[in-house]
Amino acid sequence: MVSEWISLLLHRIRGSTPALTRMTTGDNEDNHLMLQFFEWESLPPPGISWWQHFENEIPLLAGLGCTQVWLPPPNKAMEGRGYDAYDLLLIPPPHKWDLGEFHQKGTTATRWGTKEEFLQCIQTAKAHGIDILLDAVLNHKLGADRTERFQAVEVHPENRLLDLGPPKEIEGWTAFDFNGRGDKYSTMKWNQSHFTGVDWDQAAKRKAIYKIVGQGHKGWSPKVDRELGNYDYLLGIDIDLRHPEVRKDYLDWAAWVLKETGCGGLRLDACKHMDRDFLRDFIKVARDQPGFERAFVVSEFWIDSVKSIERYMAILNAPVSMFDVPLHYNFHRASVQGSEYDLRLILKESLVDRRPLDAVTFVDNHDTAIGCSLESWVGREFKLQAYAIILLRPNGHPCVYHADLYDEVLASKVQTLMKVRAKWAYGAITDYFKGDDGRNCIGWVRHGDSSIEPSRHPDGCVVLCSNADVATRSAPFVKEITVGRNHSSLTWKNIMANDVDAARVTVSSQGRGTFTCPPNGVAVWVPE
């Protein structure tokens, strides 16, 4: 642990190079944009796989300005989604080395399709200027081929460092033979020695958290998050990422998977629960491969504390961007509290505010949906305001969620905001957060890139967001905003208005205009 304290001290003294400056987020000079193209219950249209469905949507996504797409885990899994990993390969349910290539767990294809379909959609995406991010689930496995007996200690679910009794023999699902794959790609067969814990004793038919003990076992990794005493164990069969055979198999996979698939980067699942030394080495190996030195890497470290995320980044000391979980929770609180929420605080204690070039911003994802494990859904009443904030401000690398892009009510407006990002949201920013109405209406102006020669996006835009209660306020908010003398005497229109023809403002000779926003709405003004 001494080395981690040294890393933390050096980070505080010298700082660190922002992650996003060391990665490829797109292949052009325009604004870059990530899309999460799946939901927890996603199913394709009849007659095609999810990979084929995604391939059909690629032209639309490219036209909306997407430069990256985060796809679901392509490996085999117990129930098929990929987060209950069986074999990382690229096949059906639980294989790391199975991306939908081998007949395992009763199928060749994964929930999402075959390996061939996966590789084909990646190539089509690349032809449209879109990189694919592979979702790497490295923390745990599920769906073992058979049980084994071994010694284990039951631990307290709220304090994993507290043993609830002496060691005893239990029967756990910990043996993975991969009979369908054989020794192709990897000869490793997994057994209880490669894991730290399980949550089911087959012999007793009892669910609890068991720490595996006995010869060769080191207990929980100390280099994980300290929530619940030690948060090494999350679910299923927890992998010992310190075990030499595990490290070799996973680091071999890190060197193999981007080259094998043509993906442009990785989304790392459940990083709170994973040994930091392993993660650092895994990222290094993946990015050391020729042609992948600037591969994109984003970490899911789920905690509503920007200080905890900053500390984790300093200790990890690796080129990895972070999902801005605190900003998501700000959006969730704003959604729940309605007009009681002070919009001037929407960026407070967020990663994008503190470390904008390390932050991947998002509104919702598959885990935050209603009924899911991290339920904290941002309702429709604040969804567009949240997307305006992540898409039309200059800081952070935004990610749009599939459920919002294809929502029957919001889809057209979300797509409009994506198009504004691609065409108008450039240049310096001036905020209009202050004033008597700032609590319920904030705004900003993007001034365009006219100072850059040659200018590709000189126009800029004005954005206003309100969370006022329409039941108590009917009048629009009004803000006097300076857009610049280069826009003097020009007419601007609110392209978010239902009646665009009626929503126009003429800028004065001094470059100022009177812009409006409806209560509990979003207004985006652009030059005609």
Side-chain angles (χ1 to χ4, degrees):
M1 300 294 283
V2 174
S3 62
E4 292 198 337
W5 285 109
I6 292 174
S7 295
L8 186 59
L9 179 61
L10 290 175
H11 180 271
R12 289 174 176 173
I13 295 172
R14 301 184 309 194
S16 62
T17 304
L20 292 174
T21 65
R22 295 186 278 175
M23 301 177 184
T24 298
T25 57
D27 63 358
N28 57 50
E29 297 179 1
D30 294 342
N31 283 331
H32 299 159
L33 177 61
M34 184 192 301
L35 170 70
Q36 178 184 354
F37 194 84
F38 67 97
E39 304 166 37
W40 194 250
E41 300 294 343
S42 287
L43 291 172
I48 61 174
S49 71
W50 188 257
W51 301 143
Q52 291 171 320
H53 169 54
F54 165 61
E55 185 175 9
N56 291 341
E57 294 294 294
I58 286 173
L60 167 67
L61 303 180
L64 293 173
C66 294
T67 57
Q68 288 178 325
V69 171
W70 159 23
L71 291 177
N75 51 275
K76 282 235 170 76
M78 188 172 75
E79 293 183 358
R81 293 180 178 89
Y83 291 103
D84 45 348
Y86 167 74
D87 186 356
L88 291 188
L89 253 186
L90 288 186
I91 293 196
H95 291 193
K96 167 171 127 281
W97 294 91
D98 184 355
L99 305 180
E101 177 182 357
F102 307 103
H103 190 80
Q104 301 186 110
K105 294 299 173 181
T107 178
T108 298
T110 67
R111 175 189 179 97
W112 313 108
T114 67
K115 180 179 179 180
E116 290 71 25
E117 293 164 351
F118 181 59
L119 298 181
Q120 176 58 45
C121 75
I122 292 171
Q123 292 305 311
T124 300
K126 291 171 71 173
H128 285 77
I130 296 175
D131 279 340
I132 299 301
L133 302 183
L134 186 144
D135 201 333
V137 183
L138 309 173
N139 177 70
H140 51 268
K141 284 182 176 290
L142 285 163
D145 296 308
R146 53 187 172 84
T147 63
E148 298 177 293
R149 290 185 175 271
F150 45 84
Q151 292 288 304
V153 174
E154 183 178 344
V155 301
H156 197 289
E158 300 302 317
N159 181 2
R160 311 297 174 71
L161 299 178
L162 177 62
D163 294 348
L164 296 181
K168 63 180 180 180
E169 184 178 84
I170 70 169
E171 182 181 3
W173 289 90
T174 52
F176 291 78
D177 301 320
F178 309 129
N179 292 323
R181 169 163 62 86
D183 292 336
K184 187 173 182 179
Y185 301 118
S186 170
T187 60
M188 182 175 172
K189 313 301 179 188
W190 294 63
N191 59 60
Q192 59 86 20
S193 69
H194 301 118
F195 302 102
T196 62
V198 297
D199 64 356
W200 180 254
D201 179 358
Q202 181 66 25
K205 301 293 191 292
R206 186 169 185 273
K207 185 174 179 63
I209 299 176
Y210 298 99
K211 178 177 61 178
I212 303 176
V213 297
Q215 184 176 3
H217 286 283
K218 303 176 183 178
W220 309 128
S221 168
K223 296 185 177 182
V224 297
D225 192 70
R226 291 177 290 186
E227 187 179 345
L228 303 179
N230 177 290
Y231 218 171
D232 189 350
Y233 186 87
L234 173 63
L235 59 84
I237 315 161
D238 189 72
I239 296 171
D240 185 355
L241 296 171
R242 300 160 296 171
H243 193 291
E245 293 177 357
V246 172
R247 283 179 54 85
K248 181 182 185 306
D249 195 58
Y250 268 13
L251 296 181
D252 286 348
W253 188 78
W256 171 83
V257 71
L258 295 183
K259 292 185 292 184
E260 176 75 9
T261 63
C263 289
L266 299 163
R267 181 259 187 187
L268 301 177
D269 182 64
C271 290
K272 282 176 70 173
H273 316 280
M274 298 170 64
D275 183 84
R276 291 185 288 265
D277 288 346
F278 164 78
L279 268 179
R280 189 180 305 112
D281 292 342
F282 182 90
I283 294 167
K284 183 178 187 303
V285 169
R287 287 168 52 94
D288 276 352
Q289 305 311 305
F292 294 95
E293 295 84 356
R294 289 182 57 82
F296 187 90
V297 183
V298 59
S299 165
E300 182 214 29
F301 186 86
W302 197 269
I303 191 167
D304 184 14
S305 167
V306 69
K307 291 181 180 178
S308 296
I309 295 175
E310 288 180 312
R311 181 180 182 276
Y312 175 80
M313 293 173 63
I315 294 174
L316 185 63
N317 191 27
V320 56
S321 58
M322 308 291 291
F323 283 113
D324 194 346
V325 176
L327 180 63
H328 159 74
Y329 277 107
N330 284 355
F331 292 153
H332 174 64
R333 283 186 283 269
S335 171
V336 171
Q337 296 174 21
S339 61
E340 295 300 312
Y341 187 88
D342 189 341
L343 285 181
R344 294 170 295 187
L345 306 179
I346 197 68
L347 299 174
K348 186 176 181 180
E349 294 300 305
S350 66
L351 188 63
V352 74
D353 190 46
R354 296 270 286 265
R355 300 178 65 91
L357 292 177
D358 291 307
V360 175
T361 56
F362 68 103
V363 178
D364 274 309
N365 66 27
H366 60 294
D367 283 328
T368 68
I370 295 172
C372 291
S373 59
L374 301 172
E375 181 178 333
S376 47
W377 189 246
V378 178
R380 285 174 175 163
E381 63 278 356
F382 196 74
K383 190 76 77 171
L384 295 178
Q385 293 91 325
Y387 273 113
I389 290 167
I390 71 169
L391 292 174
L392 306 185
R393 297 179 64 81
N395 293 334
H397 181 53
C399 179
V400 174
Y401 181 38
H402 181 276
D404 298 327
L405 179 59
Y406 291 91
D407 181 275
E408 60 182 6
V409 174
L410 299 175
S412 64
K413 298 296 186 183
V414 172
Q415 291 187 21
T416 296
L417 292 173
M418 294 168 71
K419 292 174 183 177
V420 172
R421 174 177 176 81
K423 186 174 181 180
W424 286 290
Y426 294 88
I429 185 171
T430 301
D431 282 330
Y432 288 80
F433 280 29
K434 298 180 180 180
D436 294 339
D437 61 3
R439 179 181 183 87
N440 293 124
C441 185
I442 58 173
W444 60 91
V445 55
R446 298 294 301 276
H447 294 283
D449 62 3
S450 56
S451 62
I452 301 174
E453 295 294 339
S455 175
R456 289 171 52 84
H457 307 282
D459 293 332
C461 58
V462 170
V463 184
L464 298 175
C465 298
S466 166
N467 67 342
D469 188 347
V470 295
T472 59
R473 178 177 179 130
S474 58
F477 288 89
V478 179
K479 285 187 180 287
E480 294 288 329
I481 292 178
T482 300
V483 296
R485 291 179 179 269
N486 56 316
H487 294 301
S488 62
S489 304
L490 295 180
T491 299
W492 290 49
K493 62 181 180 181
N494 176 13
I495 61 173
M496 295 292 285
N498 292 327
D499 184 1
V500 176
D501 292 333
R504 281 176 163 73
V505 169
T506 300
V507 174
S508 72
S509 60
Q510 300 301 309
R512 293 180 62 82
T514 302
F515 297 90
T516 62
C517 178
N520 196 38
V522 175
V524 179
W525 299 84
V526 298
E528 284 196 301

